[in-house]
Amino acid sequence: MRVPLLALLLMAAAPAMAQGVPEALRGTWAAGSCTAPEALLHVTARAAVRLPADGAARLVRFRSVRALSGWTLGTGSGAEAPRVMLRADGDALELAEPDAKVRDDRLPGATPVTRWLRCETGGPMLALLHGEGLAFLGTLERLEAACQPGTMPACIAGLISAADISGDGKLSVAEIARLLRGAAWALAAQEGAAPEGIAAATGLGGGVALAAARLIVSSLDYDGDGVLSVGELGQDRLVFPPAAGSPDGQPGTIEALAEGAGLLRSLIERVASE
């Protein structure tokens, strides 16, 4: 596969940020009951996503986070720079989503404040619809923290740590497909999809994710054991390859190499089909 898996996961990465949402405010919260909520609110270190039971999702990934008059204010990127305000109220969480016209020094102003209750688990349908996507948001943040300021070894170690469900230190087709399904969920939420749109994106994306995961594994599985190790993920990427080469011979053309590769691929496909 020409585009490395890490690049696929980090294409939309935001700049690294030193301060995040306080841990006490993070987690999954519900308006109403946890099993049949009017809406879910999931807060990570650098994002908040609101998921109404009947309505458009709203995902804001924070470009900056700061304290403001007893609130935690997260500001998203883009021309609109959406803002999300969070504040603890006993065991509950208060949320305000100010209009773009309200100045920071007047927040929250007349912005409605909603109250949310913490949820450790939800109904089965909610878990099926949102579980992997909510997990992906945290995974993406950990990958960004490992990959944006660091080296390729640290980035690959971060990927293995975040995605290795089995704990064997390698990535299987299922583990990679889980990441890709989570990414499909996040894209749908970011685009403001309703629950049925999210279900369609992750349902259709599930088959695509599985096919893509198989392609990724088959293209990097050099020892043929069906899983990707740190060494296989890092092949030719952990450090720059040595500039060894040979002084003998004469330069040919890249076009001729491409033609030769095409002939070899055709031969392999013919043998495989017989």
Side-chain angles (χ1 to χ4, degrees):
M1 192 170 185
R2 292 181 181 274
V3 180
L5 174 60
L6 292 175
L8 287 174
L9 292 173
L10 298 175
M11 278 180 181
M17 181 178 61
Q19 183 179 3
V21 174
E23 282 195 39
L25 305 181
R26 301 178 200 171
T28 303
W29 308 79
S33 70
C34 292
T35 54
E38 299 170 15
L40 287 178
L41 175 69
H42 186 75
V43 181
T44 67
R46 294 193 287 108
V49 57
R50 178 168 44 78
L51 300 161
D54 183 17
R58 186 181 192 230
L59 170 60
V60 180
R61 302 196 68 218
F62 301 142
R63 172 173 45 84
S64 65
V65 174
R66 64 186 178 94
L68 179 68
S69 303
W71 292 83
T72 294
L73 172 64
T75 304
S77 57
E80 295 184 1
R83 293 167 296 177
V84 175
M85 302 184 72
L86 303 164
R87 179 173 67 181
D89 181 19
D91 294 333
L93 179 73
E94 291 186 332
L95 167 73
E97 299 175 90
D99 186 270
K101 296 179 181 179
V102 182
R103 290 173 13 189
D104 278 8
D105 61 354
R106 296 181 178 176
L107 292 176
T111 304
V113 176
T114 54
R115 183 179 173 86
W116 303 74
L117 302 178
R118 184 179 292 280
C119 292
E120 299 297 335
T121 60
M125 294 306 297
L126 288 175
L128 285 172
L129 182 59
H130 297 306
E132 288 183 335
L134 297 180
F136 177 80
L137 291 181
T139 295
L140 180 58
E141 291 181 2
R142 293 192 296 274
L143 285 173
E144 289 168 343
C147 295
Q148 288 169 354
T151 61
M152 184 56 78
C155 189
I156 290 176
L159 175 62
I160 295 287
S161 174
D164 179 22
I165 303 301
S166 68
D168 64 356
K170 300 180 180 181
L171 295 186
S172 66
V173 169
E175 288 164 336
I176 294 171
R178 173 177 173 268
L179 285 181
L180 298 179
R181 286 193 301 268
W185 179 96
L187 286 172
Q190 185 168 276
E191 292 170 359
E196 57 271 19
I198 292 176
T202 54
L204 177 62
V208 174
L210 183 58
R214 286 173 175 159
L215 179 60
I216 291 169
V217 171
S218 64
S219 65
L220 297 175
D221 182 20
Y222 301 112
D223 62 8
D225 65 352
V227 292
L228 298 183
S229 65
V230 172
E232 288 168 330
L233 283 167
Q235 180 65 40
D236 303 322
R237 299 179 182 89
L238 289 176
V239 296
F240 291 121
S246 171
D248 302 325
Q250 292 293 324
T253 65
I254 299 297
E255 291 79 8
L257 291 175
E259 291 173 4
L263 290 172
L264 178 60
R265 183 169 58 251
S266 297
L267 177 61
I268 292 173
E269 291 174 350
R270 180 178 299 178
V271 170
S273 65
E274 294 177 353

